[in-house]
Amino acid sequence: MRRIFFLLATLIVLTASASAQDKTILYVPIDNRPCNLYQVVQVAQKLGYEILTPPADLIGSKTFKGDPDELFLWLDDNAPKAQAAVVSTDALLYGSLVASRTHDLDAQTILERAERFKTFHELYPSLPIYAFGTIMRTPRSGSASSAEPDYYKTYGATIFNYTVLLDKQEMNKLSGGDKRKLNRLEADIPKEYLDDWFMRRAKNSDANERFIELTRAGVFDYFLLGCDDSAMYSQTHRESRHLTELGADLGKTAFQVTSGADELGMLMIARAINYSMNATPFVSVLYNAGTGADTFPAYCNEPIGVSVDAAIVAAGGLQIPSHERADLILAVNTREDGKTFEAAVAKKNKLKLRGDLKDFLKPVKKLVAAGRPVAIADISFANGADNALMNQIKRDDLQFKIRAYGGWNTATNSSGFLIGAGVLTPYMTDKDVAELLITRYLDEWAYQANVRNEIVGASYGIAGEGTPMDLKEKLPPLEKLLNERMSAFAAENLRLPKKWRLEDLQFRLPWQRTFECESRFKLVG
């Protein structure tokens, strides 16, 4: 009897252990910003998944580049506990996204770190690895706050324009005048700066080529490669063409190159969860009238329709034409003329309802009234919500009748994160969905499109050292103002169902700059 009891107890322990492992995912984010860490974990936890992340002192931040060697050791230590690993190749090569742009690592070190993925897979061959990385960005210009080498502040615009012409030249799209301009721009940039910039990019491309080979060899179950801030023509776009061609034989169910960066972690977490549940979410897409899917947003190197299609596949979903059969209906708010403005430009981002928004909301309201699961990708503005759209959603009492919302940074950041989170909402309670919506409304609508302007303006009137992108002594008084203004905005604009109420609202500027805000709260009821 004692032996039988022991065997049963052992079986119960092993079953519980296996069950816990089945819902545990290792996650190495690209850095510790809320969009890459807290908000991704928040989504997965709604489905009962435990997302194990490295200790905070190993993850890249604004001032710390991250620790690739220690991150690999952490992966080794925790692999037996998990059913999947979602990993940022940038974090494990360089430390973080910012570090990937400014590092001085030699090529051998980078490729040796890349090979550690193969070793890790050999040690844990049954552990799926969902990897995501980036092709280095090509900013249009430099600034005092740019996370680029110092010389980019002076020569950033020239370097960008130079690579535009290099990209065009390779695609046989240069005119005679372009050729002369190309030579002139090259002469204007000090050779040592150009050599440094291209050498760092070459190391990044070589590593990404190796990752494609590892995907082909079965080391990665999926490799998603994003084009960080880019444009129709640029060095980022140029490199993406080569890498896309190199991995073309793998197919989109194993490898994709797409536009974006900060949404990639959410997409891979969604893919890992969908795979573990043996689920393939059906997604239908509804675009606004006008340019619609052909809209070419700011900071992107492809039309939004291409990026949306890629994100659905990356998240483990399947795009279908029928709204009636869809698990998620993605309504994409683009402007009729295809232009993308900055949300912080108050004269553009007004409350008055535009004609194109009226047309956009008609089918949305019909679908919601019919009980269909609608998500809104709000990309008519970059870096924040469309105030006219959000005001009308409030007036029409749609805030907590849709299933997901996104409108925070670039168009692909918004749509990609939304797709990753949105395809998981069918498995969530209404309260869970509401909490995710509140997070997005506070971030995209309250802060990015409205309160941030006030915080930036106030920073100039506060005594002490600091700038909007490095607040230093100005941080405490600005966070006090931030909490006042965000709480007031929430009280005035969020129309919660009567069964719920918001408590313990707290807001901070996690990178001691005005670019992003972290919101925490409790939804009670």
Side-chain angles (χ1 to χ4, degrees), residues 135 205 208-217 222-225 239-257:
I135 299 172
S205 281
N208 284 329
E209 287 183 12
R210 181 57 182 148
F211 290 142
I212 292 171
E213 293 172 2
L214 292 179
T215 306
R216 190 176 287 115
Y222 201 92
F223 181 38
L224 183 60
L225 189 54
E239 292 165 11
S240 76
R241 290 188 292 103
H242 295 298
L243 292 166
T244 299
E245 184 178 350
L246 181 65
D249 61 298
L250 290 168
K252 293 183 177 181
T253 55
F255 167 69
Q256 286 193 99
V257 179

Side-chain angles (χ1 to χ4, degrees), residues 228-242:
D228 200 2
D229 290 354
S230 185
M232 183 181 296
Y233 299 108
S234 68
Q235 183 63 20
T236 305
H237 179 250
R238 184 185 178 199
E239 292 165 11
S240 76
R241 290 188 292 103
H242 295 298

Side-chain angles (χ1 to χ4, degrees), residues 63-249:
T63 56
F64 174 57
K65 289 186 176 183
D67 193 328
D69 293 329
E70 289 296 323
L71 288 172
F72 268 113
L73 290 175
W74 178 85
L75 276 176
D76 285 332
D77 289 342
N78 289 277
K81 306 174 186 176
Q83 59 119 184
V86 174
V87 297
S88 161
T89 58
D90 288 327
L92 289 160
L93 288 185
Y94 316 107
S96 67
L97 180 62
V98 171
S100 74
R101 304 167 183 163
T102 58
H103 70 86
D104 291 315
L105 297 169
D106 59 74
Q108 182 178 349
T109 299
I110 294 171
L111 291 178
E112 285 175 355
R113 286 175 176 171
E115 289 306 305
R116 291 184 70 171
F117 286 101
K118 182 180 178 182
T119 304
F120 180 76
H121 172 68
E122 290 169 348
L123 289 171
Y124 307 99
S126 62
L127 183 72
I129 303 173
Y130 303 94
F132 61 98
T134 63
I135 299 172
M136 290 176 66
R137 71 178 185 174
T138 312
R140 290 180 177 272
S141 62
S143 70
S145 61
S146 179
E148 302 289 333
D150 286 342
Y151 56 77
Y152 211 86
K153 299 169 188 174
T154 303
Y155 293 98
T158 308
I159 291 173
F160 172 81
N161 290 323
Y162 175 61
T163 72
V164 166
L165 297 178
L166 286 178
D167 194 12
K168 284 186 174 182
Q169 178 177 259
E170 211 169 75
M171 299 173 72
N172 296 315
K173 293 186 177 182
L174 276 191
S175 65
D178 286 337
K179 292 176 182 178
R180 291 189 292 273
K181 184 179 179 182
L182 177 64
N183 293 331
R184 189 167 62 249
L185 288 172
E186 184 174 7
D188 288 343
I189 306 168
K191 185 177 184 301
E192 63 270 26
Y193 296 160
L194 210 53
D195 288 348
D196 175 80
W197 197 72
F198 276 107
M199 187 179 300
R200 190 173 292 106
R201 299 191 72 96
K203 295 173 187 176
N204 179 260
S205 281
D206 288 346
N208 284 329
E209 287 183 12
R210 181 57 182 148
F211 290 142
I212 292 171
E213 293 172 2
L214 292 179
T215 306
R216 190 176 287 115
V219 172
F220 295 153
D221 283 60
Y222 201 92
F223 181 38
L224 183 60
L225 189 54
C227 298
D228 200 2
D229 290 354
S230 185
M232 183 181 296
Y233 299 108
S234 68
Q235 183 63 20
T236 305
H237 179 250
R238 184 185 178 199
E239 292 165 11
S240 76
R241 290 188 292 103
H242 295 298
L243 292 166
T244 299
E245 184 178 350
L246 181 65
D249 61 298

